[in-house]
Amino acid sequence: MNLLGTIAVHPALPERLARLRELAHNLWWSWCPDAVDLFAEVGSALWDEVNHNPVQMLSMVSQERLDALGRDAAFMKRYESVLKALDEYMSAKDTWFERAHPDLVGQSFAYFSAEFGLHECLPIYSGGLGILSGDHCKSASDLGIPLVGVGLLYNQGYFKQRINGEGWQEAEYSRLNFSLLPISEAKDSEGRNVEISVDLPDHVTHAKVWKVQVGRVPVYLLDTDIEQNSSEDRRLSSVLYGGDREMRICQEIILGMGGVAALRALGLSPGVYHMNEGHSAFLSLARIRDLMKSAGLPFSAALEETSAGAVFTTHTPVPAGHDAFSHDMMDRYFNRYNHAVGISRNRLLSLGQGRNDTSPSFSMTVLALNASRFANGVSKLHGEVSRELWREMWWGFSDQEMPITHITNGVHTGTWMSAELTRAMDAKSGSGWRDNPTDEGGWRSALAKVSEKNLWKIHCDLKRKMIEHVRERVRKRRIRLGRSNTSLRGVDNLLDPEALTIGFARRFATYKRATIFFQDLERTLRILSDKGMPVQIIFAGKAHPADEPGKEFIRRIHEISQDSRFRNRVVMVEGYDINLARHLVQGVDVWLNNPRRPLEASGTSGQKAAMNGVINFSVLDGWWDEGYNGENGWTIGERRAYDDHDEQDRADTLALYETLENEIVPLYYERESDGTPVNWVRKMKESMISVGAEFNTHRMLKDYTDQLYVPAFEYARRLAADKHAGARDLAEWKDRVRTLWHQVAVQASTPGVPEVSVGDEVSFSALAHLGNLTTEDVAIELFVAPIEEGRLGKARVFPMERIGGRGEKTNGVLKFEARFKPEVNGNYTFGVRAVPSHPSLGDSRELGLVRWADPVGN
């Protein structure tokens, strides 16, 4: 034979089913249960085989099956119903955003993230950050928020996890076939494929742009694996979080600077740029360069205007988790950039270093904070931790005044809540609770109409479905490892549908303490093996390929699961992905989370579990610190800080065992005559109501829009007005204030009365020397804060009024006064300070300049 090649032959969609391909390429289907059921009906076995990828399934299903479906009246009716729902969704005008912000219709907000966890069939995510990004886009779509996502298209995605016979995690990479994914080539206004270029040290690399349609939201992904590039550059978009520091900085340059170029090539001009974690912070440098070129602005003015329209979300509560690059590496990669924009090496490096930071590294988080005027953590507690972590950037202000707010994470209800529960609630009360998931009353009303018995039955069905899924994964692993037929038959006895089932599934970072449940093995064994009240636990999760301690946790849990005493009661499931996560958060009884407080920035897996009636049992960290209400779950440990990690681990382990033994297990097995655990189900309902209504991405996206996106857009618009006059003026003013700030001095007298009563007026006076600055440049403030348990409580700041005229330049001494009336008894601390003041300044702390008053006479 003399074979010339191969050709792929795909089935042809019957004309009546032509729009199935369109539906498959809009991930809206993934959170529409009727659409999911429609694809599953095409071929249920094939649907599971392709990991719920409709594009791949449509390339593999037989022509005969498609032709038969086209003639099936019942299927066609469902098909037309789903397409009608899609069309109505995509063309809807009366969205939340259009009602809340009608003046911003036509604008857009860009959302940059290194990973997007949109669906299991598109494996370009690693964990919580990516899942959050995916849910962010889905809720933006539902709410009509004009979001545009930007990321990288990794042709090998994140690694596929395998656990070998000894329990060690192994990373398996396989190349994705883009033609079989729900993505398409991005086109410009003239219908051409979009490609962009990015400067690297000694050459230019190119990237092709792809698009994923997520409901109404497009997500654009950059791919360097194209013919124009060298083999080294083609590998830059190969894997997520892989390679060395050189690969990481290249990926982040392509994501940030290449992402800005991609939006420009697509003809898009977002009014706000949102950096989801610091990976994309180089986008700020590209925006500055572009604005300098288009508007003729100096670097400092372009920085002011671009940072006004930038939002930064930090997710990492420990310094080691933030990306940083050496100064030598920054020199190599940005020397040409410095020349192009006319700034010195030190000026660029200063953007990535704190005020007193002398380390030879450039922090991407510091760059993001310096290049954005709006920043947030991802839970209330994480906001506090972040303000303390980065306080050096605003030295002299109290922790609570650091300009980092918080917006607590949520999850996308439509994606994570089971179709069975959704339909049960819809059947009783319609879809109002689902259309507005932030309305607690809607949740409460809908669930009140679902009986405890019915809710328990639905949960038990989901639990059996979850156990079957886990068994199938374990069976496949044993086949892969060549296990005996006896071992394969044993899978049928794995897990008991009647036993209390605990789920622990997340990234296997060491601070999450995955093995804490096994600190006292004998006590653990007693809990799990009680014949009258048995308990079982399922583990799943990946450790980063370079995280040896995290991989050791997986090996240890696998070892325990193989111990005959724990067999069938402890299960470690390999291959953690969105599909497995979905089954677990919908099917277990209790969701266990035991990080070392306060290192869990937010966490969202427990939120997914809660809205499915799975009850949380967690350390008071991240979102649970604000979500726990005493009735919707259980806590591990206390709201306190520990200096000794061993002491903290011992205390939390003891609390875990005691709560499990004395509260959780007895409540679960407390049954009515028909077998329904009524009090347990009532706790399930409270969990669904309290968590589902508050910790969803609809609430989160509304918060981002109202608190960050819209203010950022308006601030940037003000600075851009009148040919960027505001940006020029603000930059010049900042340069002058920084230069002259050393001249500012303040003195203040104490009130002279050590004790007063509530409601009494206390007077404060201060003397200020402003040098060559004026009272238009500087504000004098009275700072008052209660002392609570040895720490500063919520501070209040009062402007002090000058005695005399305002506005003139003077080298003399100026007098200021203020009065304060305490409304609550207690001890207060106070101080007087000078801070910069300008009408266009977004925040008085923005420059990190403050001068606290000395006592008069010093």
Side-chain angles (χ1 to χ4, degrees):
M1 293 188 294
N2 185 20
L3 302 179
L4 299 178
T6 62
I7 186 170
V9 179
H10 299 304
L13 284 174
E15 186 175 348
R16 298 185 71 195
L17 297 176
R19 293 190 66 192
L20 269 181
R21 187 166 285 110
E22 173 193 345
L23 180 63
H25 279 84
N26 188 330
L27 287 178
W28 168 86
W29 66 260
S30 68
W31 69 93
C32 174
D34 290 343
V36 173
D37 289 348
L38 187 76
F39 282 125
E41 190 175 348
V42 173
S44 59
L46 181 57
W47 179 239
D48 290 335
E49 179 185 334
V50 299
N51 207 21
H52 309 144
N53 180 349
V55 176
Q56 185 176 3
M57 184 179 70
L58 292 178
S59 74
M60 296 173 65
V61 66
S62 72
Q63 186 68 55
E64 292 77 10
R65 176 59 176 161
L66 287 176
D67 292 339
L69 289 172
R71 297 189 298 268
D72 185 328
F75 180 86
M76 290 304 302
K77 184 177 180 180
R78 289 188 287 274
Y79 166 76
E80 289 163 2
S81 176
V82 168
L83 286 177
K84 180 182 178 184
L86 172 63
D87 291 340
E88 290 175 350
Y89 179 91
M90 295 298 291
S91 62
K93 297 298 181 185
D94 188 30
T95 65
W96 171 83
F97 184 81
E98 292 183 338
R99 294 192 302 273
H101 302 285
D103 54 323
L104 295 184
V105 173
Q107 301 297 334
S108 64
F109 311 130
Y111 179 78
F112 282 63
S113 183
E115 49 176 302
F116 284 89
L118 296 161
H119 189 263
E120 59 261 31
C121 73
L122 191 59
I124 56 171
Y125 61 92
S126 71
L129 178 70
I131 303 301
L132 177 75
S133 299
D135 285 6
H136 194 108
C137 294
K138 293 170 185 176
S139 272
S141 172
D142 289 342
L143 295 169
I145 298 169
L147 199 75
V148 178
V150 179
L152 297 179
L153 181 57
Y154 308 96
N155 58 50
Q156 295 181 54
Y158 198 49
F159 73 94
K160 183 177 291 185
Q161 182 196 49
R162 294 285 182 255
I163 298 176
N164 69 20
E166 288 71 47
W168 288 105
Q169 171 183 286
E170 297 176 342
E172 177 182 293
Y173 292 93
S174 57
R175 189 177 180 84
L176 301 175
N177 185 340
F178 291 174
S179 68
L180 298 179
L181 295 177
I183 62 175
S184 59
E185 297 171 321
K187 306 289 185 180
D188 63 17
S189 58
E190 298 182 8
R192 297 171 299 195
N193 290 344
V194 176
E195 292 186 4
I196 57 93
S197 60
V198 177
D199 288 337
L200 292 179
D202 56 359
H203 67 287
V204 172
T205 191
H206 305 270
K208 181 176 181 176
V209 184
W210 298 79
K211 182 174 79 168
V212 183
Q213 194 66 40
V214 186
R216 302 182 183 101
V217 169
V219 176
Y220 294 102
L221 304 173
L222 279 66
D223 166 29
T224 64
D225 187 19
I226 55 178
E227 290 184 1
Q228 298 96 306
N229 289 333
S230 66
S231 58
E232 290 78 10
D233 283 357
R234 295 183 74 154
R235 285 195 291 268
L236 294 177
S237 62
S238 58
V239 295
L240 172 62
Y241 303 144
D244 56 15
R245 303 306 297 166
E246 294 283 349
M247 183 172 182
R248 177 61 68 89
I249 195 173
C250 288
Q251 286 184 326
E252 297 191 356
I253 289 171
I254 292 165
L255 171 62
M257 305 185 83
V260 171
L263 293 176
R264 186 171 62 249
L266 289 160
L268 300 173
S269 302
V272 174
Y273 284 72
H274 182 179
M275 294 169 275
N276 190 43
E277 198 48 283
H279 308 114
S280 61
F282 287 137
L283 71 83
S284 59
L285 302 183
R287 295 182 66 214
I288 291 169
R289 180 191 58 200
D290 292 351
L291 187 57
M292 291 176 68
K293 183 176 180 179
S294 64
L297 293 179
F299 184 90
S300 57
L303 171 62
E304 291 304 325
E305 187 171 322
T306 55
S307 60
V311 173
F312 169 57
T313 299
T314 177
H315 294 261
T316 308
V318 291
H322 296 260
D323 272 354
F325 302 106
S326 70
H327 286 180
D328 288 344
M329 186 174 287
M330 290 297 296
D331 288 342
R332 284 191 288 112
Y333 280 88
F334 286 94
N335 183 53
R336 283 197 291 172
Y337 176 88
N338 293 343
H339 287 293
V341 299
I343 61 171
S344 69
R345 169 185 186 267
N346 288 340
R347 179 70 178 102
L348 177 71
L349 294 179
S350 70
L351 291 174
Q353 286 189 288
R355 294 175 63 194
N356 298 314
D357 183 5
T358 58
S359 66
S361 62
F362 183 96
S363 167
M364 295 297 284
T365 297
V366 174
L367 171 62
L369 289 168
N370 279 325
S372 59
R373 295 293 170 258
F374 301 86
N376 70 286
V378 290
S379 70
K380 183 175 184 292
L381 181 59
H382 180 236
E384 296 172 6
V385 170
S386 296
R387 288 188 287 275
E388 183 176 351
L389 183 62
W390 300 106
R391 68 191 314 268
E392 190 273 335
M393 292 188 64
W394 297 279
W395 191 258
F397 293 96
S398 64
D399 286 354
Q400 59 183 263
E401 291 185 286
M402 300 299 100
I404 301 175
T405 185
H406 80 274
I407 291 178
T408 302
N409 284 346
V411 298
H412 185 247
T413 308
T415 294
W416 294 104
M417 191 167 175
S418 74
E420 291 86 345
L421 281 171
T422 299
R423 285 166 174 157
M425 291 169 67
D426 281 356
K428 297 292 185 180
S429 57
S431 63
W433 68 276
R434 182 160 43 86
D435 297 335
N436 183 17
T438 61
D439 176 21
E440 182 177 316
W443 283 81
R444 193 170 296 279
S445 175
L447 278 169
K449 298 173 185 176
V450 180
S451 70
E452 281 77 14
K453 182 177 181 179
N454 189 29
L455 183 57
W456 183 244
K457 180 183 182 304
I458 293 170
H459 174 70
C460 290
D461 289 344
L462 289 168
K463 186 175 180 179
R464 281 188 284 271
K465 181 179 176 181
M466 177 272 296
I467 288 175
E468 283 303 317
H469 185 79
V470 169
R471 287 174 177 172
E472 183 59 26
R473 288 195 177 226
V474 172
R475 183 179 291 108
K476 288 180 178 178
R477 175 176 178 268
R478 292 185 181 182
I479 291 172
R480 177 171 55 81
L481 294 174
R483 297 299 191 234
S484 67
N485 289 333
T486 301
S487 176
L488 295 180
R489 286 193 296 271
V491 173
D492 294 334
N493 298 319
L494 189 69
L495 301 172
D496 177 1
E498 303 299 324
L500 171 62
T501 304
I502 301 170
F504 182 100
R506 52 188 43 84
R507 194 163 50 89
F508 265 61
T510 52
Y511 77 86
K512 294 178 184 284
R513 302 186 298 183
T515 58
I516 198 172
F517 185 61
F518 303 110
Q519 291 302 300
D520 183 341
L521 272 180
E522 292 305 316
R523 194 167 183 180
T524 303
L525 182 60
R526 289 199 304 272
I527 294 171
L528 296 183
S529 60
D530 186 318
K531 292 183 179 180
M533 296 187 295
V535 178
Q536 57 198 9
I537 184 166
I538 304 171
F539 289 90
K542 296 178 179 179
H544 187 280
D547 183 3
E548 295 303 324
K551 288 191 281 189
E552 168 59 26
F553 277 4
I554 293 173
R555 189 209 62 78
R556 174 60 176 152
I557 293 171
H558 175 269
E559 178 184 57
I560 292 171
S561 74
Q562 301 306 297
D563 186 321
S564 60
R565 298 173 298 168
F566 294 96
R567 190 167 296 148
N568 296 337
R569 294 296 182 191
V570 177
V571 180
M572 179 73 214
V573 191
E574 71 176 7
Y576 189 50
D577 64 359
I578 288 177
N579 189 23
L580 177 56
R582 187 187 301 113
H583 280 86
L584 292 174
V585 299
Q586 293 176 3
V588 300
D589 299 305
V590 172
W591 197 256
L592 178 63
N593 186 35
N594 41 245
R596 183 175 286 122
R597 189 178 194 268
L599 300 182
E600 183 80 283
S602 176
T604 57
S605 61
Q607 298 168 353
K608 302 176 182 83
M611 62 176 52
N612 283 288
V614 175
I615 308 176
N616 276 271
F617 180 32
S618 176
V619 168
L620 287 163
D621 198 7
W623 77 275
W624 188 237
D625 187 58
E626 56 196 276
Y628 172 66
N629 67 10
E631 301 295 331
N632 60 355
W634 298 274
T635 65
I636 300 171
E638 303 173 310
R639 284 189 176 96
R640 58 161 291 190
Y642 288 84
D643 294 326
D644 186 328
H645 286 170
D646 291 337
E647 180 188 354
Q648 184 177 10
D649 292 351
R650 285 193 296 269
D652 288 348
T653 301
L654 182 61
L656 186 156
Y657 284 135
E658 290 183 347
T659 303
L660 195 57
E661 291 169 331
N662 300 326
E663 298 183 45
I664 298 176
V665 176
L667 184 65
Y668 180 82
Y669 285 102
E670 179 187 298
R671 302 296 173 100
E672 298 294 304
S673 59
D674 64 358
T676 305
V678 172
N679 290 329
W680 181 276
V681 177
R682 288 172 181 164
K683 207 171 190 74
M684 289 171 60
K685 285 189 173 185
E686 178 59 28
S687 176
M688 294 175 72
I689 293 165
S690 61
V691 176
E694 176 64 21
F695 298 96
N696 61 74
T697 41
H698 276 43
R699 185 271 310 156
M700 186 185 86
L701 262 294
K702 290 178 180 179
D703 287 350
Y704 270 106
T705 301
D706 293 340
Q707 298 175 28
L708 300 179
Y709 292 169
V710 172
F713 177 85
E714 292 175 343
Y715 187 22
R717 183 165 57 180
R718 288 198 304 273
L719 295 189
D722 298 324
K723 298 181 179 180
H724 313 280
R728 295 176 188 272
D729 176 66
L730 183 60
E732 292 169 0
W733 175 83
K734 281 188 175 182
D735 286 344
R736 182 168 60 86
V737 169
R738 288 190 181 101
T739 301
L740 300 176
W741 191 251
H742 69 279
Q743 298 177 358
V744 176
V746 186
Q747 289 185 313
S749 58
T750 62
V753 283
E755 295 182 1
V756 297
S757 299
V758 171
D760 288 350
E761 188 172 81
V762 186
S763 297
F764 297 82
S765 62
L767 302 176
H769 185 283
L770 305 185
N772 290 317
L773 296 175
T774 75
T775 52
E776 297 297 330
D777 301 318
V778 182
I780 308 299
E781 298 176 338
L782 170 66
F783 175 94
V784 182
I787 302 174
E788 301 170 349
E789 299 180 355
R791 302 181 63 185
L792 292 185
K794 186 175 182 180
R796 298 176 66 187
V797 175
F798 304 89
M800 299 187 74
E801 295 294 329
R802 184 193 164 188
I803 307 304
R806 289 181 60 84
E808 73 275 15
K809 182 182 290 187
T810 176
N811 292 321
V813 175
L814 308 177
K815 185 175 182 179
F816 294 81
E817 290 184 347
R819 292 173 175 80
F820 166 65
K821 286 185 179 182
E823 300 170 352
V824 180
N825 61 302
N827 294 320
Y828 289 80
T829 187
F830 59 87
V832 171
R833 68 191 185 189
V835 295
S837 176
H838 188 279
S840 295
L841 195 63
D843 191 297
S844 63
R845 296 152 290 190
E846 192 173 299
L847 280 77
L849 299 176
V850 61
R851 185 80 71 218
W852 287 90
D854 294 320
V856 170
N858 281 19

